[in-house]
Amino acid sequence: MTSRVLLVDGMAFLFRAFYATSVHGRFLRNEEGTPTNAVQGYLRHVTEAAIASSANRVIVCWDMGSKTFRNELYDGYKSNRGAPPEEMIPQFELAKDATTALSVPNVGLVGYEADDCIGTLAHQYSKSYDVMIATGDKDLLQCLDDSVSVWFAQKGVGNYDKWTKERFVEEVGLEPAQWIDVKALMGDTSDCYPGVPGVGEKTAIKFLQQFASIDGLYGAVDQLTPAKKKSVLGAKEDVSLGRRLATIRQDAPLDGQAIFSYAPSAEEVCRKRVGGLKLVGVEPILSRWFSHVDHAG
């Protein structure tokens, strides 16, 4: 049987879970007063994604601090991100501890983003396995391949907008690798880097459908309207920078096979480790995990 690998964007699920309950003031504080709402919701998301994907290998990737090689390329990168809420701070390490307690690997590299770890592992695993990426980040569409799908979490838990390479080519009219140029042309307000003024996703896609690449666009800039030509030419340096920022690395220094070869602990051992974390409301989640998730094969 071909192994199915689920790569999880840990921060995406953790923040999604936090805001789903914190907006109502529900922090699920344990007996020590530590909030655990984000971790509880995160475990639900990971469990339901593992079940939905029938994965027998689950790996969670994390950002490792606010500074990466992209900040060296552009010091304004993600400069609009504020500090996390106070109730969130103790839950970052707690989430990783809970992941480890279930015998699921945590993967992260200082100087890289979780996306780079996901991109690298997806590239390595796609040669032999089916890979599902669970995230909320459209940047990862560039990683689509014949054996790689991207699942975007939707409202609620266990609901996904599932993208395959075939669907992307049919609906977007581009190859997945061209998504990098789409991002470069439109810029990214959430990551705080500019693109071409007045160019959004639809226009960027049209440019690439017509000219195939950023180089093709600049080589045929005289075919644009005077206003568009002026905008495109004026943003050339920003577009070049954006392309480097938008490109998810597939060569991060990770040994995918070593990560893949982890040996999950017995259920009773995992339950004991999770119990030691004093999380609130996780028993039903654990029951579903151990009843439906086979990540040992």
Side-chain angles (χ1 to χ4, degrees):
M1 180 182 70
T2 300
S3 289
R4 296 171 62 82
V5 182
L6 175 66
L7 300 176
V8 176
D9 182 345
M11 287 297 187
F13 278 177
L14 192 63
F15 273 100
R16 187 179 188 89
F18 178 81
Y19 287 114
T21 53
S22 65
V23 68
H24 304 295
R26 291 165 45 208
F27 295 106
L28 300 182
R29 295 183 185 275
N30 63 19
E31 60 194 45
E32 297 175 351
T34 303
T36 68
N37 64 312
V39 181
Q40 189 251 26
Y42 156 80
L43 289 176
R44 285 184 66 203
H45 279 295
V46 173
T47 297
E48 295 307 319
I51 293 172
S53 63
S54 300
N56 46 19
R57 280 290 184 272
V58 181
I59 298 166
V60 182
C61 296
W62 300 93
D63 294 326
M64 300 292 287
S66 59
K67 300 296 183 182
T68 70
F69 71 89
R70 291 182 177 86
N71 298 98
E72 297 176 7
L73 293 172
Y74 178 52
D75 59 10
Y77 184 71
K78 292 190 176 181
S79 60
N80 55 344
R81 304 287 178 94
E86 180 182 349
E87 294 85 359
M88 184 71 170
I89 294 173
Q91 300 195 65
F92 292 121
E93 288 305 314
L94 196 56
K96 294 178 185 178
D97 290 343
T99 305
T100 299
L102 288 176
S103 294
V104 173
N106 289 303
V107 175
L109 288 171
V110 174
Y112 295 84
E113 294 183 45
D115 285 0
D116 300 306
C117 296
I118 290 171
T120 296
L121 293 178
H123 178 67
Q124 293 181 21
Y125 294 149
S126 65
K127 297 175 175 63
S128 304
Y129 314 116
D130 291 331
V131 180
M132 288 73 62
I133 297 170
T135 183
D137 190 346
K138 290 181 71 175
D139 289 359
L140 285 158
L141 285 169
Q142 66 188 264
C143 297
L144 288 168
D145 205 345
D146 292 334
S147 300
V148 180
S149 58
V150 178
W151 294 19
F152 295 112
Q154 302 296 286
K155 186 176 181 180
V157 179
N159 301 314
Y160 308 97
D161 183 17
K162 302 175 183 179
W163 284 79
T164 61
K165 179 181 177 181
E166 182 180 15
R167 178 187 171 188
F168 184 90
V169 171
E170 181 178 340
E171 295 188 17
V172 181
L174 300 172
E175 291 294 322
Q178 291 176 287
W179 190 248
I180 299 169
D181 284 2
V182 172
K183 296 288 296 183
L185 288 168
M186 62 185 284
D188 192 321
T189 55
S190 66
D191 287 342
C192 203
Y193 64 85
V196 178
V199 171
E201 183 176 308
K202 289 183 179 179
T203 301
I205 289 172
K206 287 181 180 178
F207 279 159
L208 291 167
Q209 288 172 339
Q210 183 175 358
F211 302 110
S213 67
I214 287 173
D215 290 341
L217 170 63
Y218 279 98
V221 72
D222 288 338
Q223 297 181 34
L224 305 179
T225 65
K228 277 286 190 288
K229 177 180 177 179
K230 182 179 180 180
S231 294
V232 168
L233 287 175
K236 190 170 185 178
E237 289 188 9
D238 287 339
V239 170
S240 177
L241 172 65
R243 196 176 200 287
R244 287 181 286 163
L245 294 173
T247 300
I248 292 173
R249 297 283 293 271
Q250 295 186 344
D251 60 351
L254 291 171
D255 185 343
Q257 195 55 47
I259 296 168
F260 184 91
S261 300
Y262 66 84
S265 300
E267 177 178 346
E268 62 184 64
V269 175
C270 293
R271 283 183 175 275
K272 184 176 181 179
R273 292 193 300 225
V274 174
L277 299 176
K278 300 180 180 178
L279 303 175
V280 177
V282 299
E283 180 53 39
I285 301 169
L286 296 180
S287 294
R288 280 188 62 75
W289 176 269
F290 290 112
S291 296
H292 298 285
V293 178
D294 174 19
H295 69 139

